Amino acid sequence: MNIINIEHIYKIYGEKTIFEDASFGIHEGDKIGIVGINGTGKSTLLKMAAGLEEPDTGQIIRQNNLKIAYLPQNPKFPEDATILSYMQDCEEQWRVESHLMKLGIQGYDTQISHLSGGQKRKVALAKVLASDFDVLLLDEPTNHLDEQMIFWLEDYLKAFRGTILMVTHDRYFLDQVTNKILEISHGKTYAYEADYSGFLEMKAAREEMELASERKRQGVLRMELEWAKRGCRARSTKQRARLERLEALKDKAAPVRDQTVELDQVETRMGKKTIEVHHLSKGFGDKKIVQDLNYIFLKNQKVGIIGPNGCGKSTLMKMLAGLTEPDSGTVETGETIRIGYFAQEEQPMDERRRVIDYVKDIGEYITTKEGQISASQMLERFLFTPDMQYAPIGKLSGGEKQRLYLLSVIFQNVNVLLLDEASNNLDIPTLTILEDYLDSFVGIVVTVSHDRYFLDNVAERILAFEEDGRLRQYEGGYTDYLEARKKQAGQAFAGVQDSGKPDASKTGKGEKAKTKQVLDGQMPGDGKKSGGKDWKQNRPQKLKFSYKEQREYETIDGAIQELEEEMERLDREIAANATNSMRLSQLMEEKEQQEAKLEEKMERWVYLQELAEKIMETG
């Protein structure tokens, strides 16, 4: 039963259309993940479902007495509120305290203004989960949560019997929790009865069907245009019908494909000495953050750093970047090393400044393998249209600002990338392209991330923080780390592993390749490689019609014309027998059969025409 109906909604911000005649229903018990490129309206949809925003036209109908709880991406708190005072209006205090404890929040007398951004978000999440609700709306719930907290939240949401509508970039989280995916693309919504892995396959199938329909439309359009060129008598009913069909074909819009971020390798050189860490230690008060760390980062190495919140991951990254001094030990960098540092904290941006001016502060041009690329071209590759480039930064969504910041870091001719939670607030298509870029990046990548999927696709070594401020090394990505921990701890770790580790069939490079195929509009198996050989070696050297196809090709125009004349005759008979219900029923059935034959012939014409063109090309 539908508990929320979203019917024919339109939403426009300035000159940007967010939703255009979008409709879908939310059933009781649905656990829906919303996906789409940043700026497409994911957060706006949650706000409208919560009743905090209204569509420009259309309506959102909610079941009577429906209790809705909503976690925004950037929660707001009363001025001077403490954790305790913020939680006081919750009915069951023990539940709030239980959630706070699970999320690692202590010191309830602490003023919320003194908390970090991640801690504030956990306080808001604890309060939302402790409230009484039928529908839970979550905007990026896993941001700033460490692995253990994500596992706990996964279990909580899987056990919850109500309805969930959430926006998240965490693809393993989507696989664990959701039973439906709602994709937002170019103002439309597409619903899939699947988790994230199933969505990838179904999206690829949908886009392939759209492309097949477009190929057919183009073929029929060519046929109709050729017919129009021969000349026609516009007075004829049949000829007028064909002209009208031609105009309809010309007016029909082709399927719109999602754009994806394009990243080219920046040209830079790295000498023999990279980054060397010797006896590095850092502490705050009695707490040791990093203790006696020794490590040499090798050329082109991809390292993932993990650990619970507050263990010192960001502090280590700042020491590597030269922004924080250690208590003892050294960080030595080679003369050719150029570091690009992506900070976890939201970066201050002048909201009045134009997007293009923000990039031009880095440089007018950047040198890549393709040559020089201008600031405007860089922005276009990061999905900032010309209109967006000359708009103030304040008009960008949170995810679009994150994408702009990422651009500013990558395109500084760097050969070492230090990424502190770069996956937060980036949409899945951007993450997929970023993963592909980092995989082939000519340089060193060190990334702090709680995104398990991201780590599986990027990292070849994991450095995990232990309780004593020491780091332990594990080979491989995040799933390999889980397996190693399971072997170390035996069954004591099995419960955590089972709740958090994705199915092996859904992990690693193969899934990334599948995602990229979907984003590129390529179905699995459609690439230029087949069985390890170049596709050109496997195709026939020369195409030709069979005898039957040749005869059909020569006569099909006449056959289509005969069917159209028969349709014209049936239309006249139908008009003449409008009051004879029995005869009218027979004629309508006969017309339906003729329409099916005509449709089949037109599809066959498209195939033969395409085959004829290929024969000409290989001739």
Side-chain angles (χ1 to χ4, degrees):
M1 180 178 71
N2 275 10
I3 56 175
I4 300 177
N5 275 327
I6 295 177
E7 300 177 352
H8 305 290
I9 62 169
Y10 288 77
K11 188 71 174 179
I12 299 173
Y13 286 123
E15 298 178 357
K16 186 174 182 180
T17 300
I18 304 296
F19 291 102
E20 185 176 4
D21 196 25
S23 299
F24 69 96
I26 300 172
H27 293 77
E28 189 173 5
D30 280 350
K31 295 182 178 179
I32 302 172
I34 305 173
V35 300
I37 294 172
N38 284 337
T40 55
K42 302 187 295 293
S43 295
T44 300
L45 181 60
L46 284 186
K47 290 174 186 174
M48 289 193 290
L52 301 176
E53 283 194 25
E54 294 295 328
D56 296 333
T57 60
Q59 58 181 345
I60 299 176
I61 304 171
R62 301 171 190 82
Q63 187 183 72
N64 289 336
N65 302 317
L66 195 66
K67 291 173 286 188
I68 296 176
Y70 169 56
L71 175 72
Q73 193 170 143
N74 297 301
K76 304 294 183 186
F77 302 90
E79 191 174 348
D80 298 328
T82 64
I83 295 173
L84 187 61
S85 67
Y86 178 66
M87 297 292 182
Q88 276 180 345
D89 57 345
C90 293
E91 293 179 8
E92 300 185 45
Q93 197 69 22
W94 67 269
R95 194 184 300 276
V96 176
E97 293 176 2
S98 172
H99 293 335
L100 287 170
M101 183 176 65
K102 291 282 176 50
L103 291 168
I105 298 295
Q106 298 175 343
Y108 300 161
D109 292 331
T110 305
Q111 282 198 344
I112 292 178
S113 59
H114 295 164
L115 300 178
S116 68
Q119 289 172 321
K120 289 177 182 177
R121 189 164 178 78
K122 289 174 194 173
V123 169
L125 177 60
K127 182 173 182 178
V128 166
L129 295 181
S131 61
D132 183 22
F133 53 84
D134 305 306
V135 178
L136 186 57
L137 308 177
L138 302 172
D139 198 347
E140 295 290 3
T142 62
N143 277 2
H144 305 292
L145 298 186
D146 61 33
E147 293 84 1
Q148 297 303 316
M149 295 174 191
I150 290 173
F151 296 155
W152 170 77
L153 184 59
E154 277 180 2
D155 289 339
Y156 180 94
L157 296 180
K158 284 192 287 187
F160 174 55
R161 295 191 177 184
T163 303
I164 299 170
L165 189 63
M166 67 177 175
V167 173
T168 180
H169 65 270
D170 189 323
R171 289 152 286 181
Y172 283 160
F173 194 78
L174 285 169
D175 263 341
Q176 289 289 326
V177 176
T178 62
N179 55 24
K180 287 185 180 179
I181 298 292
L182 184 71
E183 179 192 14
I184 304 175
S185 178
H186 303 285
K188 305 293 184 185
T189 55
Y190 303 90
Y192 304 84
E193 298 270 350
D195 58 13
Y196 178 73
S197 298
F199 151 73
L200 289 178
E201 297 174 2
M202 295 171 75
K203 175 182 170 71
R206 173 179 69 79
E207 291 188 342
E208 181 61 23
M209 287 178 63
E210 288 178 350
L211 288 174
S213 297
E214 175 61 12
R215 286 194 295 269
K216 175 183 169 183
R217 184 182 77 89
Q218 292 290 345
V220 174
L221 183 56
R222 288 200 305 272
M223 181 182 75
E224 296 291 341
L225 285 170
E226 285 180 15
W227 167 83
K229 288 176 185 176
R230 298 176 194 153
C232 62
R233 295 168 298 162
R235 292 187 301 274
S236 162
T237 303
K238 179 186 72 175
Q239 311 295 22
R240 281 201 303 273
R242 288 193 72 158
L243 284 173
E244 288 169 1
R245 182 167 61 188
L246 175 59
E247 290 303 317
L249 285 167
K250 286 162 64 179
D251 292 340
K252 187 176 179 182
V256 181
R257 306 304 303 275
D258 284 337
Q259 290 179 291
T260 54
V261 175
E262 297 179 27
L263 299 178
D264 289 315
Q265 294 291 341
V266 175
E267 285 289 306
T268 188
R269 184 182 72 84
M270 182 183 291
K272 288 184 179 180
K273 187 169 183 177
T274 58
I275 300 178
E276 298 182 4
V277 178
H278 300 290
H279 302 290
L280 194 72
S281 294
K282 181 71 176 179
F284 294 103
D286 296 332
K287 183 177 181 181
K288 286 289 185 183
I289 298 295
V290 178
Q291 186 167 325
D292 197 30
L293 174 64
N294 292 279
Y295 194 85
I296 296 175
F297 291 92
L298 304 178
K299 281 186 178 181
N300 303 327
Q301 192 174 53
K302 313 296 188 295
V303 178
I305 299 177
I306 65 172
N309 287 340
C311 68
K313 300 186 297 296
S314 293
T315 301
L316 174 58
M317 294 289 273
K318 288 174 182 175
M319 287 192 288
L320 294 177
L323 301 175
T324 296
E325 289 294 321
D327 294 340
S328 61
T330 59
V331 177
E332 299 176 6
T333 58
E335 291 182 3
T336 60
I337 293 299
R338 298 194 59 178
I339 294 175
Y341 172 59
F342 183 101
Q344 181 181 160
E345 299 85 7
E346 188 173 332
Q347 296 303 295
M349 293 181 175
D350 186 345
E351 302 270 300
R352 298 165 298 178
R353 193 164 178 77
R354 296 186 306 180
V355 171
I356 188 144
D357 294 329
Y358 177 83
V359 178
K360 283 183 175 179
D361 286 345
I362 305 167
E364 294 282 343
Y365 295 92
I366 293 295
T367 302
T368 73
K369 290 181 178 179
E370 291 184 352
Q372 284 196 325
I373 297 177
S374 70
S376 180
Q377 288 171 319
M378 286 161 50
L379 282 163
E380 285 201 42
R381 293 185 176 205
F382 267 66
L383 309 186
F384 292 100
T385 63
D387 287 345
M388 293 173 71
Q389 292 179 26
Y390 287 91
I393 290 173
K395 288 197 171 181
L396 300 180
S397 69
E400 287 168 335
K401 289 177 184 175
Q402 191 85 335
R403 196 192 308 151
L404 183 61
Y405 175 41
L406 178 64
L407 180 155
S408 72
V409 172
I410 285 178
F411 286 94
Q412 294 182 50
N413 290 318
V414 300
N415 50 24
V416 175
L417 282 170
L418 304 179
L419 307 176
D420 194 353
E421 294 290 4
S423 60
N424 280 359
N425 297 322
L426 289 181
D427 55 67
I428 291 174
T430 302
L431 278 175
T432 304
I433 303 302
L434 176 61
E435 288 162 359
D436 195 55
Y437 174 81
L438 296 177
D439 189 44
S440 58
F441 177 68
V442 183
I444 296 168
V445 176
V446 185
T447 179
V448 169
S449 182
H450 295 128
D451 188 326
R452 300 157 290 172
Y453 197 110
F454 183 77
L455 288 170
D456 266 342
N457 282 329
V458 172
E460 59 191 32
R461 177 173 291 173
I462 297 291
L463 296 180
F465 271 82
E466 306 289 342
E467 290 182 1
D468 58 358
R470 299 183 185 275
L471 278 80
R472 184 163 184 167
Q473 178 178 310
Y474 297 85
E475 296 305 312
Y478 186 81
T479 300
D480 299 307
Y481 156 77
L482 284 178
E483 292 289 352
R485 286 293 304 272
K486 182 181 177 183
K487 288 178 183 176
Q488 290 171 10
Q491 294 304 313
F493 190 68
V496 174
Q497 188 268 346
D498 289 339
S499 69
K501 178 182 174 296
D503 189 289
S505 65
K506 298 175 182 175
T507 63
K509 306 293 184 183
E511 190 64 20
K512 180 180 76 172
K514 185 197 297 181
T515 308
K516 190 171 188 302
Q517 286 172 335
V518 171
L519 295 172
D520 291 344
Q522 179 184 7
M523 284 289 286
D526 283 351
K528 293 185 178 180
K529 298 282 184 181
S530 177
K533 297 180 180 179
D534 193 298
W535 71 283
K536 292 179 181 178
Q537 296 175 359
N538 294 331
R539 71 178 184 182
Q541 293 301 306
K542 187 173 181 179
L543 294 172
K544 63 178 182 179
F545 278 132
S546 67
Y547 175 78
K548 184 178 179 181
E549 286 172 334
Q550 182 68 46
R551 291 287 301 148
E552 187 180 9
Y553 181 64
E554 292 169 355
T555 60
I556 196 165
D557 279 343
I560 289 173
Q561 186 173 347
E562 287 177 7
L563 285 168
E564 287 179 330
E565 288 173 352
E566 178 64 12
M567 291 281 289
E568 188 178 353
R569 182 191 67 77
L570 286 169
D571 284 337
R572 288 196 301 269
E573 275 209 58
I574 287 169
N577 288 274
T579 58
N580 185 342
S581 60
M582 185 176 294
R583 178 59 179 155
L584 187 61
S585 177
Q586 293 172 345
L587 289 168
M588 293 298 291
E589 185 177 346
E590 190 176 344
K591 183 181 177 182
E592 189 176 329
Q593 293 170 356
Q594 291 300 314
E595 283 177 336
K597 289 180 182 179
L598 179 60
E599 179 76 10
E600 185 179 346
K601 278 291 181 189
M602 291 174 74
E603 288 182 0
R604 188 65 179 164
W605 184 94
V606 171
Y607 165 76
L608 292 170
Q609 193 68 25
E610 289 179 346
L611 182 56
E613 290 173 0
K614 289 178 182 177
I615 290 171
M616 290 289 289
E617 290 172 4
T618 60

